[in-house]
Amino acid sequence: MGKPLRWGLIGASTIAREWVIGAIRAQPGSEVVAVLSSDARRGTDFARAQGIPSTYTDLDALLANPEIDAVYISTTNELHKPQTVAAAAAGKHVLCEKPLALNLADALEMVAACAKAGVVLATNHHLRNAAAHRKIHELIRSGAVGKPLFARIFHAVYLPPHLQGWRLHSRGAGGGVILDITCHDADTLRFLLAAEAIEAVALSQQAELASGELEDGVMAVLRFDNGVVAQLHDAFTVKYAGTGLEVHGTEGSIIARDVMTQRPGGEIVLRNGSGETAVPVEHENLYARSLRAFNAAVAGQGQPSASGQDGVRSLAVALAVQEASRTGRRVAVRYQ
Ligand code: NDP
């Protein structure tokens, strides 16, 4: 049983509204106390619509509120680092959105600041909380595919019109599909394979949505330190592909469909010498599970489902894919 937490939201964002506020409130005794927006009107509208008692436009004022135990940071990506460092200095626990930062040095500084302040830092990688992914993890660990050789991630989706803003047009805010989606793939593969990516090659695309230097699609290949080679296809521009994940090993293949999503769901099939078996999954809200683990970690019971260090590592992989796609070279993943 985790500790009930009183939350301050840093960012009047879509993800907070659609998923995270509900997940916070699903934890017994936990509540959302305040929201920070850079725009007073947007903040008050958001607070009224979401039933949040107070709003702030000044970060220091929110962080000075002694009623707040923890903050959820879901602003645009360039703000995550200064806001996390300030929250840690104020003694608040931090659940931060991915990518943690725009470069590795900033992400490492965030981890160090939270460690120094003795507060929990978690990265909101929702997918490793999905019951489907946890089942695939269990299958791989139990030897169901033998030695894993290859993985394939199908994460090419269509960015909904209400999100077609900074992700497509602002490099300064950390836009582009690689920072947005590839970092989720990287975290998912690290979790499933219990391995680290060591090198990347990639080709990106700017099709019809993104502008400037930003990509709206990418295909990448990663090599992991256990020998697995993984192929990723991420996009904002693909309407009808559907999502999926496959792991192919010496003794079997796991084929999962509709599992790279925010919604609980999807199907898993195990294919091997005995034929094809549908694997049952008891689905659960991904964000509620993430918040449950966070509350437990604050109470000293275990770790958040994805830690700050996990956020550093998924960012490192995304940055390697970004560099590979920009230079056309094979790039080693740097974690320091
Ligand atoms: P939004 O664009 O909805 O929100 C980001 C910021 O944009 C807000 O903090 C807000 O600033 C500002 N904003 C929101 N609505 C408007 C508007 N109508 N006009 C002008 N500005 C506005 O982003 P998302 O919710 O999609 O993403 C936020 C973060 O969450 C990102 O880091 C993203 O990568 C991450 N994310 C994670 C997901 C996950 O499953 N883990 C899924 C989706 C996003 P202000 O706060 O100042 O009002």
Side-chain angles (χ1 to χ4, degrees), residues 4-21:
L5 294 173
R6 295 165 302 176
W7 288 82
L9 306 183
I10 298 181
S13 68
T14 308
I15 174 78
R17 176 169 52 78
E18 291 183 345
W19 292 101
V20 176
I21 292 172

Side-chain angles (χ1 to χ4, degrees), residues 123-130 184 260-262 286-287 290:
T123 311
N124 201 25
H125 278 306
H126 59 298
L127 289 167
R128 59 164 73 199
N129 291 286
H184 275 313
M260 305 303 288
T261 77
Q262 295 178 288
L286 287 64
Y287 298 92
S290 169

Side-chain angles (χ1 to χ4, degrees), residues 61 74 136 138 166 187 226 229 255 263 274 278 291:
S74 63
I136 295 168
E138 201 180 294
W166 59 269
D187 184 68
N226 63 353
V229 172
I255 293 149
R263 293 173 304 285
S274 315
L291 266 293

